[in-house]
Amino acid sequence: MTLRLFNTLTGEVDALAPVPGEPLRIYACGPTVYDYGHIGNFRTFLQIDVLRRFLELNGVPLRHVMNITDVDDRIIQNTVAAGVAIHEYTARFEQAFFEDLDALRIERPEIIARATEHIPRMVALIERLAAAGAAYRTEEGSWYFRLAAFPEYGKLSKKDLSGMEDGARVDLDRYEKDSARDFALWKAAKPGETSWDTAVGRGRPGWHIECSAMAMEYLGESFDLHAGGEDLMFPHHENEIAQSETATHKPFARHWMHVRFLLVDGRKMSKSEGNFFTLRDLLLKGYKASAIRLALVSVPYRHQLNFTFDSLTDATRAIERLRTFHQRLAAGSFAPGENAGLQAAARAAEAGYMAALADDLNTAEARAPVFELVRTANTAIDEGQLRCGDRDLILSVLGKFDAVFDVIGDHDEEPTRRAIEWARQSGRESDIAPELLARRSMTDEQVEMLLAERAQAKKQRNFARADQIRGELAEKGIVIEDSKEGVRWKRK
RNA sequence: GCGCCGGUGGCGAAGCGGCUAACGCGCAGGUCUGCAAAACCUGUACUCGCGGGUUCGAUUCCCGCCCGGCGCUCCA
């Protein structure tokens, strides 16, 4: 099944497929590791994960590169302020970033590329641009890209910059630039700042050159898809195109994917507004990683997502429904054979699911047939109509759902445990919700003991004691379900 | 100011020219249960921001207006 994906460059939904016999080459802009990632960051990475996983589900081999920006103005500022070496500073946040990716079950790209490990590549690209007359050096030793060298500038973001007068908004003298829109390729070293001694002088790379250089290093001068958050479209991606295509005279990325922003309570999340949440904040409030994943993934990537705590509660319940159903199927015993109606329903659900994802990754639409199948199958189980063959087929449909959504399999304990541990080690103990701690205060053994006592009480028809135990467990976040097959319990 | 996106039930959110307007959550009633939970059933939008237009027919296309958001600067 071929994925059809909106392409910012053409403004249309285009097929996305690799050159036959080759892996699909993807470059996705990664984090700048100067702080903990917030949920807006992860919405983007999560949506790219959906893309990855859907392609993999269709058997498309991938070569996916993600950069780590471990040198930039903010990082330099922060390291100077903190008085630590740049690597020491970034390593901590890079590690945190990967932990967060794991918590959200975001797959690792095939290649992770750190900016600081690719300086020679960037320098070579700057030299190439200089040789072509598209880059120039200022007196203080910085290098700029000459926008006039690339007439197609603006083709991605559909901006017409011809009307922009040089100097209208920026004081030219201050920047020593030929044109106000020219952007930095290389920034001359300032005293006390981290810098590299290179053929283009002592300094550090500009942000844009980093991505062009590393994309070309691992994917070649032309590749299939470039992805990132919508804010990167201009100027970052536009600048990448300008640099790369000026140097190579080849199309840089054929397809561009941009993930729209997440809002919080209808407002843009920003550090200055202080209305942003990191993944860790949410885990410490007691929300499960799976709920965060589902909430951030369920609104298709081309729409703004308005994040609220209610949406996390909704997602939690929806996941419970799926997990309960999965458990019911996996643990139940069913008569051999097949039920023709269920077989057809399962196949239709799978087809609908796959078609929705293939249509520009419509995750909202893709969920629907799966939930419909859950209801149909639950009814069939209630009526004793579901057979072994049906169970196997439906489990395989759930498997395909989870190959992309990855929320039915329960991996929630580890991220929460780690977040609590992290909070304790970094003096943020007060951020841990008391309910979360209460919920975790009972061991499996203790639960089992109380359940055994309750079973005994029920046998003796001592319902008062049985209900008292149920209440006690409920206070600790343990929910119990009496079924024909015995007692099931789970942690809220 | 210029540009872009959106306004669908209590909430989230699909659908985008004609099917009973998906799906999830919530709520109300019912079945089951010692009672719950889970599951299922029924009900929750005579209608898709407002006003015009095009069309045999519009939530879906066009125009205007109102409201919300975003971009034009570092930002996922």
Side-chain angles (χ1 to χ4, degrees), chain A residues 398-456:
Chain A
L398 293 183
K400 287 185 176 159
F401 175 80
D402 238 21
V404 175
F405 284 77
D406 203 0
V407 294
I408 298 177
D410 187 344
H411 309 279
D412 287 323
E413 164 57 19
E414 173 78 4
T416 298
R417 209 208 73 235
R418 266 214 299 226
I420 291 174
E421 203 172 287
W422 168 80
R424 287 185 169 140
Q425 282 170 4
S426 49
R428 303 189 192 209
E429 190 135 20
S430 60
D431 290 346
I432 308 171
E435 310 87 74
L436 178 59
L437 293 176
R439 234 192 279 158
R440 300 170 58 82
S441 61
M442 197 169 273
T443 63
D444 287 11
E445 292 71 39
Q446 290 172 305
V447 174
E448 296 293 351
M449 271 175 60
L450 281 169
L451 284 182
E453 193 193 335
R454 177 170 172 271
Q456 189 61 32

Side-chain angles (χ1 to χ4, degrees), chain A residues 34-330:
Chain A
Y34 71 106
D35 202 349
Y36 295 102
H38 61 251
I39 54 173
N41 294 313
F42 291 114
R43 144 109 140 150
T44 298
F45 299 125
L46 238 8
Q47 292 289 350
I48 292 170
D49 190 53
V50 166
L51 168 85
R52 258 194 77 91
R53 286 164 172 262
F54 182 66
L55 289 166
E56 288 179 310
L57 184 57
N58 283 284
V60 177
L62 301 177
R63 184 170 172 88
H64 171 190
V65 179
M66 181 175 72
N67 69 296
I68 302 274
T69 299
D70 55 356
V71 53
D72 87 327
D73 292 349
R74 279 167 305 187
I75 290 173
I76 302 254
Q77 255 175 30
N78 292 2
T79 50
V80 169
V84 294
I86 182 165
H87 185 69
E88 192 185 321
Y89 182 83
T90 57
R92 188 167 118 232
F93 291 113
E94 183 184 313
Q95 195 202 332
F97 173 70
F98 284 119
E99 283 172 10
D100 290 352
L101 288 191
D102 289 346
L104 290 171
R105 307 204 46 84
I106 296 171
E107 289 183 352
R108 296 291 166 91
E110 281 66 36
I111 296 158
I112 308 275
R114 288 177 196 82
T116 54
E117 292 169 6
H118 296 78
I119 303 286
R121 268 273 159 186
M122 299 173 205
V123 169
L125 186 54
I126 293 169
E127 289 182 302
R128 198 168 164 188
L129 287 169
Y136 59 90
R137 187 176 188 277
T138 63
E139 236 170 71
E140 35 120 35
S142 292
W143 286 81
Y144 285 90
F145 180 82
R146 191 187 313 283
L147 225 56
F150 190 67
E152 290 177 89
Y153 193 77
K155 68 178 175 179
L156 179 70
S157 55
K158 316 282 184 270
K159 281 185 195 304
D160 179 9
L161 300 170
S162 55
M164 288 259 180
E165 291 293 317
D166 279 352
R169 298 177 38 137
V170 188
D171 176 3
L172 281 180
D173 294 343
R174 216 180 109 216
Y175 289 90
E176 301 182 67
K177 293 194 270 185
D178 288 3
S179 166
R181 287 260 166 199
D182 289 354
F183 56 87
L185 296 167
W186 185 261
K187 298 185 176 186
K190 290 190 194 121
E193 289 183 357
T194 302
S195 62
W196 285 260
D197 200 8
T198 72
V200 296
R202 176 163 275 285
R204 62 195 157 89
W207 175 36
H208 313 297
I209 198 73
E210 165 194 321
C211 285
S212 288
M214 294 193 290
M216 287 191 218
E217 159 107 34
Y218 295 106
L219 301 176
E221 296 184 343
S222 277
F223 55 95
D224 298 298
L225 174 72
H226 195 128
E230 64 168 326
D231 56 307
L232 299 184
M233 192 165 87
F234 184 89
H236 182 55
H237 290 162
E238 204 73 74
N239 292 353
E240 281 186 56
I241 292 173
Q243 297 162 345
S244 308
E245 299 193 353
T246 300
T248 67
H249 300 288
K250 289 179 193 159
F252 186 48
R254 283 180 279 277
H255 209 121
W256 290 80
M257 172 190 184
H258 290 100
V259 180
R260 296 215 67 190
F261 265 129
L262 166 150
L263 308 175
V264 174
D265 288 326
R267 293 266 144 205
K268 183 181 170 181
M269 188 163 69
S270 73
K271 307 246 166 182
S272 49
E273 295 257 334
N275 67 338
F276 74 92
F277 297 101
T278 64
L279 175 64
R280 285 148 201 256
D281 290 334
L282 300 182
L283 290 173
L284 293 177
K285 282 180 192 297
Y287 295 102
K288 292 181 178 181
S290 59
I292 299 165
R293 179 175 171 98
L294 186 65
L296 296 185
V297 134
S298 290
V299 176
Y301 78 96
R302 276 220 281 156
H303 292 285
Q304 279 177 343
L305 165 87
N306 186 17
F307 174 86
T308 60
F309 289 109
D310 282 350
S311 69
L312 290 183
T313 307
D314 285 3
T316 305
R317 296 277 152 69
I319 290 169
E320 273 169 21
R321 178 172 168 78
L322 293 171
R323 288 183 180 170
T324 303
F325 173 67
H326 184 269
Q327 194 184 4
R328 200 179 181 200
L329 271 189

